[in-house]
């Protein structure tokens, strides 16, 4: 059952509910399905109505569930504060009811919200409680899931050994459970840790393993996630064409799934690639596309992040006024949703813009705020960067708060942190700023030492940067070619799809496009139609080959139009014979009636056809039979959708034993028509028993149209 059918069924269940309790339960089910479908507004409305009804009827379990569902919608929209409030109410109700499984689930959900609010201590508290609850219940799947979440908290805290420990523990649990999707998920997370540690071969190995697992499972969302992670890895390695390849793959999968949130994320990542390549126009194009999607979805946290990214582009273009405009918009949004990492990042970027504008007091205020938040969060990368920025600020002689002692202290701290983290660009900037400070203070020997260290690190980084710049033009060319190839491949795919739709039934064509092989199905009751032009071989000798082919093309095109009009599926033409079937690939009860209607009009069309020259008139002989067939595709290079079975042979015999200008039908067809044919302007003229080659003696009929 597809999602649309599920929603229709659930809406009907809600409408048919006899009591408030039944309606509340049905509304909760509908809200959950709507949430999965991305219909957040309707999902929220359904869950709120369910909560109200459950509260009135005293159904605490349904009320708690309705609150949990509301919290989930707010969470997916990035409205974390509201999500937290609602989920806490849900947890309180579950605790009152004493349902331990629901308590564990709600506790884990609150942990996830706290994690997105960058409240890592509280997130750890809730995840730890949830883990203990799942362990008491013997729910090893729940333990594995929460263990993975604990790993993610440590990852955000830059506590990579601990993150690796928890991700590995989650992996073992999923392996013991045989949960291949869980194995793939944990494997990908381990790859992300290795990526942050700059252990790229290990990172690529784990991400590739996760991708292969998701592909084997046919898990398209997981495949998209793994492709995205590999894209992030290649972007970190400045291998931009490969990064773009994987991000584009993730984007295509998200589009196929209708996952607009995933589409937005992949679009942002593609924008990041172009930003790294200094193609700012292209970067802005993708960022704005992602921004529109985030706004449509109501994902305020995502809107905030993309807004800051746009600010970064304008900062790179030295348009600091425009950059500040976007930074402040992004900061305000991060503050609204309570995303402290986002707040710290935006504040730091604003500080950089003010420093470039020589507005030092404002820069100091922003850097101080960002540093405080990074320290509270335990984000050491952020701490190292902002500490260096503050040291640089205090070393500016034009700054009214110029303080060489404080600048020295801060820059030494930045160097220590940079050495621990291995961030060479931060390191050489700190050494450079410290050398400049010592030179200003007349401490030339110390200045020389740090200038040498700066020069050494700078040469290492710049050597790599030079290589990057040297290949950047080539990479941009490759990307342009890749985009052209992608466009051409899409055009080819569309052309192939159109051709397939012309030679195969639409639903079968779609299955072929998806890569499905060995398509074969049995249909219990269909009607097969054969039509043959009487005496065509003799008639064709009197016209040129061109006239013959042109005439047949015009005639059979009219046959095709009739097949489409009456809902029959054309199977093939063989010379001057035409074969079609009613009742497949989509079953229909009135297949005999629809075939009869087409047959009657075929007789008229052929009788009135004059496409083979003046004086040349044609007649058609038609056979109809109803029965069981097998339908499927044969061939690997030239596809053919065909029918097999006794019903096909019988229909063919009806045609060959018929008469010119008449429709010859079997007893089985006549019975099917009588049973389901409705009010047709026809009569069945009994022909009597007829000896049919290969079939024996059969009772057959002529189908005659009643002329008013």
């Amino acid at each position: 059952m597809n999602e649309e059918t599920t929603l229709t069924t659930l809406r009907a269940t809600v409408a048919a509910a006899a009591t408030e309790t039944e309606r509340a339960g049905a509304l909760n089910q509908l809200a959950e399905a709507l949430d999965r479908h991305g219909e957040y507004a309707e999902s929220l409305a359904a869950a709120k109505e369910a909560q109200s009804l459950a509260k009135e009827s005293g159904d605490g379990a349904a009320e708690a569930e309705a609150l949990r569902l509301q919290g989930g919608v707010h969470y997916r929209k990035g409205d974390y504060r509201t999500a937290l409030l609602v989920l806490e109410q849900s947890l309180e109700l579950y605790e009152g009811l004493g349902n331990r499984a629901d308590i564990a689930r709600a506790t884990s959900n609150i942990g996830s919200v706290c994690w997105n609010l960058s409240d890592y201590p509280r997130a750890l508290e809730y995840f730890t409680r949830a883990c203990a609850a799942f362990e008491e219940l013997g729910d090893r799947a729940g333990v594995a899931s929460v263990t993975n979440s604990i790993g993610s908290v440590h990852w955000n805290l830059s506590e990579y050994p601990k993150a690796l420990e928890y991700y590995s523990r989650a992996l073992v649990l999923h392996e013991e459970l045989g949960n291949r999707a869980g194995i793939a998920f944990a494997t990908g997370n381990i790859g992300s840790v290795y990526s942050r540690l700059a252990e790229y071969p290990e990172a690529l190995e784990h991400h590739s393993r996760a991708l292969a697992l998701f592909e084997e499972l046919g898990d398209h969302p997981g495949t998209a996630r793994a492709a995205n992670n590999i894209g992030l890895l290649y972007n970190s390695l400045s291998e931009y064409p490969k990064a773009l390849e994987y991000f584009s793959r993730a984007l295509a999968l998200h589009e196929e799934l209708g996952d607009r949130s995933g589409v937005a994320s992949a679009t942002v990542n593609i924008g990041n690639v172009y930003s790294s390549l200094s193609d700012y126009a292209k970067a802005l194009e993708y960022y704005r596309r992602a921004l529109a999607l985030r706004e449509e979805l109501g994902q305020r946290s995502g809107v905030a992040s993309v807004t800051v990214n746009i600010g970064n582009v304008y900062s790179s273009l030295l348009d600091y006024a425009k950059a500040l405009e976007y930074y402040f918009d992004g900061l305000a949004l991060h503050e609204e949703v309570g995303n402290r990492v986002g707040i710290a990042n935006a504040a730091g970027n604003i500080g950089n813009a003010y420093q470039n504008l020589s507005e030092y007091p404002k820069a100091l205020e922003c850097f101080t705020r960002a540093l405080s938040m990074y320290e509270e969060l335990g984000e050491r990368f952020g701490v190292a960067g902002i500490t260096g920025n503050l040291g640089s600020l205090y070393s500016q002689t034009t700054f009214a708060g110029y303080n060489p002692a404080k600048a020295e202290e801060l820059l030494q701290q930045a160097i220590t942190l940079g050495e621990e983290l291995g961030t060479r660009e931060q390191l050489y900037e700190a050494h450079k700023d410290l050398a400049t400070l010592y030179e200003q203070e007349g401490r030339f020997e110390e200045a020389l030492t740090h200038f040498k260290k700066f020069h050494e690190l700078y040469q290492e980084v710049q050597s790599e940067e030079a290589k990057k710049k040297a290949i950047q033009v080539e990479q941009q060319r490759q990307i342009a070619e890749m985009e052209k190839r992608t466009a051409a491949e899409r055009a080819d795919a569309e052309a192939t799809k159109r051709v397939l739709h012309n030679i195969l039934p639409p639903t079968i064509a779609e299955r072929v496009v998806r890569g499905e092989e060995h398509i074969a199905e049995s249909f219990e009751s269909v009607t097969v139609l054969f039509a043959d032009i009487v005496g065509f071989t003799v008639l064709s000798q009197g016209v040129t080959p061109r006239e013959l082919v042109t005439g047949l093309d015009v005639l059979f095109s009219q046959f095709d139009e009739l097949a489409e009009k009456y809902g029959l599926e054309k199977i093939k033409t063989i010379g001057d014979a035409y074969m079609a079937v009613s009742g497949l690939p989509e079953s229909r009860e009135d297949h005999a009636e629809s075939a009869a209607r087409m047959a009657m009009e075929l007789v008229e069309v052929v009788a009135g056809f004059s496409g083979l020259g003046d004086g040349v008139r044609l007649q058609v002989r038609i056979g109809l039979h109803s029965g069981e067939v097998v339908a499927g595709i044969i061939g690997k290079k030239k596809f053919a959708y065909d029918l097999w079975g006794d019903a096909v042979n019988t229909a063919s015999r009806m045609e060959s034993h018929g008469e010119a200008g008449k429709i010859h039908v079997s007893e089985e067809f006549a019975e099917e028509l009588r049973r389901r044919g409705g009010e047709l302007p026809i009569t069945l003229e009994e022909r009597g028993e007829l000896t049919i080659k290969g079939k024996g003696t059969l009772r057959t009929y002529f189908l005659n149209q009643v002329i008013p």
Side-chain angles (χ1 to χ4, degrees):
M1 186 182 292
N2 62 37
E3 196 67 46
E4 286 297 337
T5 305
T6 301
L7 290 175
T8 301
T9 303
L10 288 172
R11 287 190 179 101
T13 304
V14 170
T19 66
E20 288 185 347
T21 300
E22 287 179 4
R23 184 174 174 83
L27 281 165
N28 275 336
Q29 291 179 19
L30 176 61
E32 190 166 20
L34 287 164
D35 186 8
R36 286 197 307 270
H37 201 58
E39 301 291 343
Y40 299 137
E42 193 178 348
S43 174
L44 202 56
K48 284 182 176 179
E49 185 181 349
Q51 179 196 354
S52 177
L53 288 169
K55 196 167 186 177
E56 287 176 12
S57 62
D59 187 344
E63 184 183 357
E65 180 68 2
L67 286 164
R68 186 188 69 81
L69 291 168
Q70 289 174 52
V73 174
H74 288 301
Y75 173 81
R76 272 171 278 288
K77 290 182 68 178
D79 189 357
Y80 302 125
R81 286 201 176 101
T82 305
L84 183 59
L85 178 66
V86 174
L87 287 170
E88 283 176 337
Q89 292 174 24
S90 174
L91 177 58
E92 186 178 347
L93 281 170
Y94 281 132
E95 287 174 335
L97 294 165
N99 189 325
R100 293 192 299 158
D102 287 330
I103 291 169
R105 182 176 55 164
T107 303
S108 176
N109 289 343
I110 292 174
S112 296
V113 175
C114 291
W115 179 66
N116 277 278
L117 283 167
S118 311
D119 190 345
Y120 302 129
R122 198 173 178 202
L124 274 177
E125 176 195 337
Y126 276 96
F127 284 142
T128 304
R129 282 170 53 188
C131 192
F134 282 126
E135 284 174 341
E136 285 178 16
L137 290 164
D139 185 345
R140 297 167 68 208
V143 172
S145 177
V146 177
T147 300
N148 186 80
S149 297
I150 293 173
S152 295
V153 175
H154 288 296
W155 189 89
N156 277 90
L157 289 168
S158 307
E159 295 172 353
Y160 302 121
K162 276 197 171 183
L164 201 55
E165 175 191 337
Y166 279 94
Y167 285 149
S168 299
R169 196 181 299 172
L171 176 60
V172 170
L173 285 166
H174 285 304
E175 286 173 337
E176 290 174 359
L177 291 165
N179 182 351
R180 297 174 69 205
I183 291 169
F185 196 78
T187 300
N189 284 341
I190 291 170
S192 295
V193 175
Y194 282 125
S195 183
R196 180 56 70 88
L197 291 170
E199 295 181 20
Y200 297 122
E202 291 85 352
L204 185 58
E205 179 188 342
H206 281 80
H207 284 317
S208 299
R209 193 183 308 159
L211 177 62
L213 280 167
F214 281 127
E215 287 176 332
E216 285 174 19
L217 291 166
D219 184 335
H220 295 311
T223 301
R225 172 188 167 85
N228 182 72
N229 284 336
I230 294 175
L232 290 170
L233 175 59
Y234 280 123
N235 198 34
S236 298
L237 290 167
S238 301
E239 295 189 27
Y240 302 123
K242 282 194 172 182
L244 191 64
E245 175 189 339
Y246 280 94
F247 287 146
S248 298
R249 183 178 178 187
L251 176 61
L253 281 167
H254 287 306
E255 287 176 334
E256 182 183 325
L257 291 163
D259 179 2
R260 293 191 295 159
S261 181
V263 169
S265 296
T267 303
V268 169
N269 287 332
I270 293 172
N272 291 338
V273 173
Y274 284 113
S275 184
S276 297
L277 286 165
S278 304
D279 189 344
Y280 300 123
K282 201 83 170 175
L284 282 174
E285 175 190 333
Y286 278 91
Y287 286 151
R288 284 178 174 142
R289 197 181 302 169
L291 183 64
L293 276 168
R294 295 289 195 201
E295 287 173 338
E296 284 176 20
L297 291 165
Q299 295 180 334
R300 292 190 293 162
S301 184
V303 170
S305 297
V306 180
T307 302
V308 171
N309 283 356
I310 294 174
N312 289 336
V313 170
Y314 284 112
S315 183
S316 298
L317 291 168
L318 308 182
D319 188 347
Y320 299 119
K322 194 79 170 174
L324 281 170
E325 178 185 330
Y326 280 95
Y327 286 150
F328 276 116
D329 286 346
L331 175 63
L333 284 166
H334 279 307
E335 287 174 335
E336 283 180 22
V337 300
N339 186 338
R340 293 193 293 162
V341 170
I343 293 169
N345 179 51
N349 286 334
I350 292 169
N352 284 324
Y354 277 135
Q355 183 165 346
N356 285 314
L357 290 168
S358 300
E359 296 188 30
Y360 300 124
K362 289 183 179 179
L364 178 60
E365 180 185 343
C366 291
F367 286 147
T368 302
R369 182 184 185 191
L371 179 62
S372 176
M373 296 197 77
Y374 279 131
E375 286 176 336
E376 285 178 17
L377 295 167
E379 288 274 4
R380 293 190 296 156
F381 279 100
V383 170
I386 296 296
T387 300
N389 289 343
L390 280 166
S392 173
L393 179 61
Y394 279 112
S395 70
Q396 301 297 314
T397 55
T398 52
F399 175 33
Y402 172 65
N403 187 332
K406 193 169 186 67
E408 180 182 9
E409 178 188 349
L410 289 165
L411 290 168
Q412 288 286 8
Q413 288 176 17
I415 288 169
T416 301
L417 281 167
E419 287 172 342
E420 289 175 5
L421 296 169
T423 52
R424 287 181 297 168
E425 288 186 36
Q426 286 180 334
L427 265 176
Y428 82 63
E429 287 290 350
H431 280 294
K432 177 186 175 183
D433 289 336
L434 191 55
T436 302
L437 175 65
Y438 285 148
E439 186 178 25
Q440 289 170 182
E441 295 295 299
R443 298 163 63 178
F444 299 113
E445 188 174 339
E446 291 168 291
L448 181 59
T449 299
H450 286 281
F451 266 125
K452 285 181 178 178
K453 191 63 180 174
F454 153 70
H455 183 71
E456 177 186 325
L457 288 165
Y458 180 80
Q459 287 301 315
E460 286 180 14
V461 173
Q462 289 305 307
S463 175
E464 293 172 5
E465 286 299 316
K467 290 177 185 176
K468 290 178 188 176
K469 292 293 182 185
I471 64 172
Q472 197 171 86
V473 173
E474 173 62 17
Q475 289 179 332
Q476 287 175 321
R477 184 189 65 78
Q478 290 175 4
I479 288 172
E481 287 183 355
M482 186 184 300
E483 289 182 333
K484 287 180 183 177
R485 285 198 303 272
T486 300
E489 287 169 1
R490 283 178 179 169
D492 289 343
E494 286 300 317
T496 301
K497 199 171 180 179
R498 283 195 298 274
V499 171
L500 284 173
H501 276 272
N502 283 334
I503 64 175
L504 300 174
T507 55
I508 301 300
E510 288 297 331
R511 291 166 67 180
V512 171
V513 169
R514 290 197 299 267
E516 189 173 342
E517 297 180 355
H518 311 300
I519 297 173
E521 295 172 291
S522 177
F523 295 87
E524 186 177 346
S525 184
V526 302
T527 295
V528 181
L529 178 152
F530 275 93
D532 188 74
I533 308 301
V534 179
F536 188 80
T537 303
V538 175
L539 290 171
S540 66
Q541 294 172 357
V543 297
T544 66
R546 180 179 292 277
E547 288 173 332
L548 175 66
V549 173
T550 301
L552 268 181
D553 178 58
V554 172
L555 182 60
F556 281 171
S557 292
Q558 291 179 353
F559 284 19
D560 290 344
E561 290 173 5
L562 290 177
E564 186 173 355
K565 175 180 177 180
Y566 292 111
L568 276 74
E569 189 63 50
K570 174 185 175 181
I571 300 301
K572 58 188 171 185
T573 58
I574 307 169
D576 60 320
Y578 187 94
M579 177 184 176
V581 61
S582 179
L584 64 78
E586 284 80 33
S587 298
R588 56 186 295 179
E589 292 187 357
D590 64 341
H591 54 81
E593 178 186 350
S594 61
R597 290 183 183 279
M598 177 176 173
M600 289 187 291
E601 195 162 346
L602 271 178
V603 173
E604 295 177 3
V605 165
V606 174
F609 184 71
S610 59
L612 290 176
D614 294 337
V616 179
R617 289 291 178 268
L618 303 177
Q619 286 185 304
V620 66
R621 191 170 54 235
I622 298 174
L624 296 174
H625 173 68
S626 298
E628 183 178 357
V629 299
V630 172
I633 288 181
I634 56 174
K636 293 291 183 183
K637 293 185 178 179
K638 293 184 178 180
F639 294 115
Y641 186 72
D642 211 342
L643 306 182
W644 298 272
D646 187 61
V648 177
N649 297 330
T650 303
S652 177
R653 293 287 185 266
M654 290 299 102
E655 177 273 313
S656 61
H657 286 71
E659 296 180 6
K662 291 194 174 184
I663 304 166
H664 189 207
V665 305
S666 66
E667 175 75 19
E668 289 80 2
F669 170 83
E671 289 178 0
E672 186 69 29
L673 191 64
R674 291 187 191 107
R675 184 167 66 251
R676 298 175 179 171
E679 297 296 326
L680 283 175
I682 60 170
T683 60
L684 285 165
E685 176 190 341
E686 190 168 345
R687 194 180 186 189
E689 292 186 346
L690 196 68
T691 301
I692 304 294
K693 181 180 178 182
K695 305 300 295 180
T697 302
L698 300 178
R699 183 179 298 278
T700 65
Y701 303 82
F702 284 125
L703 191 69
N704 298 322
Q705 186 168 4
V706 176
I707 301 174

